[in-house]
């Protein structure tokens, strides 16, 4: 998932052809698309609002044993957090790390072992009890990790040996250091990584999730293969569009073949415009519609598109819009980053999107659906320090209450 700044900064300019832009548009409940039902993967969503995946880092800190499984285990705080937001048509969890080599964010959860699946089952059971539908986002950080998280290999991996040139990395102790140069995955390691995604998918099924989302956005491992700025391989995984999408296709094909979920319960996420993680390829405007067209062949649950500018635009080429993607992908499209209620409604009405994902507004407003439906006021935005600080525990996490209207 990716941090909240990546996912859902509200000040963004969200772009799309055919978008309704009237800020004073006043839709009645009867004709509001956001609150209409939608069938996804054979399940009926109660509305078209999606809780966007956001890294919140609320697993239990283990300062005395940094490699304890406890700091990657879902817990009761997380059960409450997702249950509070179960009125969303679809919940997509925070990014969930699938292996040791994928790991790089302390106190963010994993789906690596049976114990992780058992702990996640408490979350899914609670959400289902509230009538919610929940997908697990599968996450591999690639070059955005740090070798201190990986004592077995003492390395970080990527498509190529191109290191991130901006910002800083964090060690397992939280120290900020210069980014490391990643080791390109060998073909055998690519096969092993694909199997890590397959295992995580099987565990997600055991944990009771309704489906999974493959995180191919925000400069994480799959995105590092997709974009020319981070992939200079000369084998069948680099160079041409066809080669650069191969890794994503092979992951999804292996997940489908394994059979825990049918294709229509597997979604994937792309971010063609963002510069987070030092991303942005000069050919993205051509590449990402091609990716959509190739992935269209599988009959997947959805394509989750981050086409807003909320965490920066790379300015390397024209921006890719939901309209560009919709022309190449027949399945449902989720749009995300910086949406307001009316922007989400406009995108759904334009026909370029089917579902609208909200991130930051959901942090402080667990009942965002009801607030939008009734034009109730939103809470003030959550303070930045509570977004992903594990030491905050419930503060800025589960302590936001549902709106109670004043009695007439």
């Amino acid at each position: 998932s990716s941090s909240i700044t990546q996912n859902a900064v509200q000040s963004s300019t969200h772009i799309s052809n055919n978008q309704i832009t009237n800020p004073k548009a006043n839709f009645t409940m009867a004709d509001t698309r956001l609150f209409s039902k939608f069938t996804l993967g054979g399940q009926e969503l109660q509305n078209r609002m999606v809780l966007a995946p956001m890294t919140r880092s609320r697993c239990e800190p283990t300062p005395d044993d940094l490699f304890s499984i406890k700091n990657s285990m879902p817990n009761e705080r997380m059960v409450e957090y997702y249950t509070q937001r179960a009125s969303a048509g679809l919940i997509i969890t925070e990014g969930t790390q699938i292996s040791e080599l994928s790991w790089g964010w302390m106190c963010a959860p994993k789906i690596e072992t049976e114990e992780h699946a058992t702990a996640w089952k408490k979350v899914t059971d609670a959400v289902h009890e509230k009538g919610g539908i929940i997908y697990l986002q599968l996450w591999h950080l690639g070059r955005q990790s740090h070798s201190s998280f990986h004592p077995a290999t003492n390395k970080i991996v990527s498509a190529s040996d191109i290191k991130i040139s901006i910002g800083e990395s964090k060690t397992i102790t939280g120290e900020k250091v210069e980014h490391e140069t990643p080791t390109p995955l060998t073909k055998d390691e690519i096969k092993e990584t694909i199997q890590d995604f397959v295992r995580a998918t099987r565990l997600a099924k055991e944990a009771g999730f309704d489906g999974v989302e493959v995180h191919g956005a925000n400069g994480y491992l799959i995105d590092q293969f997709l974009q020319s700025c981070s992939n200079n391989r000369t084998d069948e995984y680099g160079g041409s569009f066809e080669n650069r999408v191969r890794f994503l296709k092979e992951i999804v094909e292996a997940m489908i073949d394994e059979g825990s979920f049918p294709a229509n319960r597997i979604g994937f996420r792309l971010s063609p415009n963002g510069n987070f993680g030092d991303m942005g390829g000069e050919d993205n405007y051509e590449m990402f519609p091609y990716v959509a067209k190739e992935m269209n062949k599988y009959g997947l649950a959805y394509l989750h598109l981050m086409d807003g500018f909320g965490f920066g635009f790379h300015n390397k080429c024209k921006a890719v819009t939901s309209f560009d993607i919709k022309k190449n992908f027949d399945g449902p499209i989720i749009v995300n980053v910086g949406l307001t209620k009316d922007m989400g409604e406009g995108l759904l009405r334009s026909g370029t999107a089917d579902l609208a994902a909200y991130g930051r507004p959901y942090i402080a407003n667990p009942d965002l659906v009801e607030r939008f439906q009734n034009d109730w006021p939103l809470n003030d935005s959550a303070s930045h320090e509570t977004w992903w600080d594990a030491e905050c525990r419930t503060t800025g996490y589960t302590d936001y209450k549902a709106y109670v209207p004043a009695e007439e």
Side-chain angles (χ1 to χ4, degrees):
S1 100
S2 30
S3 64
I4 295 151
T5 40
Q6 296 149 246
N7 280 351
V9 176
Q10 273 305 95
S11 61
S12 84
T13 306
H14 198 286
I15 51 153
S16 174
N17 297 15
N18 305 332
Q19 181 181 323
I20 294 175
T21 54
N22 175 8
K24 295 181 179 174
N26 188 17
F27 308 115
T28 66
M29 283 286 292
D31 64 1
T32 306
R33 296 278 173 87
L34 274 175
F35 311 126
S36 62
K37 293 184 188 322
F38 185 79
T39 301
L40 186 75
Q43 291 180 298
E44 187 176 73
L45 310 187
Q46 295 306 301
N47 56 71
R48 298 183 186 221
M49 289 175 60
V50 178
L51 170 60
M54 291 180 287
T55 296
R56 303 301 313 276
S57 307
R58 287 317 202 274
C59 297
E60 193 61 37
T62 56
D64 296 333
D65 180 6
L66 296 174
F67 295 97
S68 166
I69 193 172
K70 192 175 179 185
N71 66 43
S72 64
M73 292 285 271
N75 54 33
E76 290 303 321
R77 284 192 290 275
M78 293 163 65
V79 172
E80 184 179 5
Y81 173 80
Y82 286 111
T83 307
Q84 287 174 331
R85 289 153 183 81
S87 64
L90 174 66
I91 290 173
I92 306 171
T93 71
E94 61 212 284
T96 302
Q97 299 154 119
I98 61 170
S99 63
E100 182 191 296
L101 207 49
S102 76
W103 186 35
W105 199 299
M106 184 55 81
C107 293
K110 289 184 182 178
I111 184 75
E112 187 182 7
T113 66
E114 299 287 341
E115 293 104 305
H116 289 115
T118 299
W120 271 118
K121 186 79 164 58
K122 293 180 180 176
V123 175
T124 62
D125 283 349
V127 168
H128 289 147
E129 203 170 298
K130 288 273 193 175
I133 292 173
I134 184 168
Y135 278 40
L136 181 74
Q137 191 191 60
L138 306 177
W139 188 24
H140 193 308
L141 277 81
R143 69 177 187 173
Q144 289 197 50
S145 182
H146 187 269
S147 61
S148 57
F149 285 88
H150 312 144
T153 59
N154 200 35
K155 68 180 182 181
I156 59 170
V157 297
S158 184
S160 300
D161 59 354
I162 302 170
K163 80 176 198 177
I164 296 173
S165 65
I166 57 173
E168 297 168 305
S169 181
K170 268 189 182 180
T171 69
I172 195 169
T173 60
E175 181 188 357
K176 290 183 177 180
V177 295
E178 184 182 334
H179 285 287
E180 298 173 309
T181 300
T183 302
L185 285 170
T186 65
K187 290 182 191 176
D188 283 344
E189 287 172 330
I190 285 173
K191 288 176 184 170
E192 290 168 12
T193 304
I194 290 168
Q195 289 309 306
D196 289 338
F197 276 95
V198 169
R199 182 188 66 236
T201 304
R202 175 178 56 76
L203 291 170
K205 179 66 173 179
E206 287 179 20
F209 285 97
D210 296 293
V212 291
E213 175 177 289
V214 178
H215 195 349
N218 293 344
Y220 295 115
L221 182 65
I222 293 169
D223 204 17
Q224 292 159 29
F225 274 81
L226 291 175
Q227 296 200 39
S228 56
C229 62
S230 49
N231 183 346
N232 62 9
R233 298 176 74 103
T234 56
D235 63 5
E236 64 265 40
Y237 292 97
S240 67
F241 291 180
E242 178 185 7
N243 285 353
R244 277 155 39 203
V245 77
R246 191 182 308 277
F247 183 46
L248 172 59
K249 289 173 68 173
E250 289 183 351
I251 289 169
V252 168
E253 287 169 6
M255 289 164 62
I256 294 169
D257 288 347
E258 190 273 333
S260 287
F261 292 103
N264 69 354
R265 294 291 185 91
I266 299 169
F268 69 109
R269 193 181 209 208
L270 301 174
S271 58
N273 300 326
N275 64 359
F276 186 88
D278 200 15
M279 298 305 287
E282 293 178 359
D283 56 9
N284 278 12
Y285 185 72
E286 294 77 28
M287 174 62 179
F288 279 90
Y290 175 84
V291 173
K293 193 172 185 179
E294 286 297 299
M295 300 306 290
N296 191 47
K297 299 171 182 176
Y298 300 109
L300 299 175
Y302 59 78
L303 190 164
H304 185 176
L305 181 71
M306 303 180 70
D307 65 331
F309 291 174
F311 54 94
F313 175 44
H314 54 65
N315 269 315
K316 302 281 183 65
C317 61
K318 280 173 64 178
V320 178
T321 71
S322 52
F323 183 65
D324 298 319
I325 297 299
K326 190 70 172 175
K327 289 186 289 187
N328 293 281
F329 191 80
D330 298 322
I333 289 179
I334 302 174
V335 283
N336 179 221
V337 184
L339 295 180
T340 61
K341 174 184 173 182
D342 287 343
M343 289 166 71
E345 180 67 21
L347 283 159
L348 299 187
R349 285 167 174 261
S350 75
T352 64
D354 303 281
L355 299 163
Y358 294 87
R360 258 180 60 183
Y362 253 122
I363 297 176
N365 301 281
D367 56 337
L368 189 66
V369 172
E370 292 77 13
R371 288 176 189 256
F372 277 5
Q373 278 180 323
N374 296 286
D375 287 322
W376 290 337
L378 300 186
N379 286 322
D380 292 338
S381 295
S383 57
H384 184 270
E385 64 270 16
T386 67
W387 287 2
W388 51 68
D389 184 349
E391 297 297 337
C392 289
R393 294 180 165 82
T394 59
T395 303
Y397 188 59
T398 54
D399 55 353
Y400 292 102
K401 304 305 178 191
Y403 185 75
V404 179
E407 293 186 20
E408 295 288 327

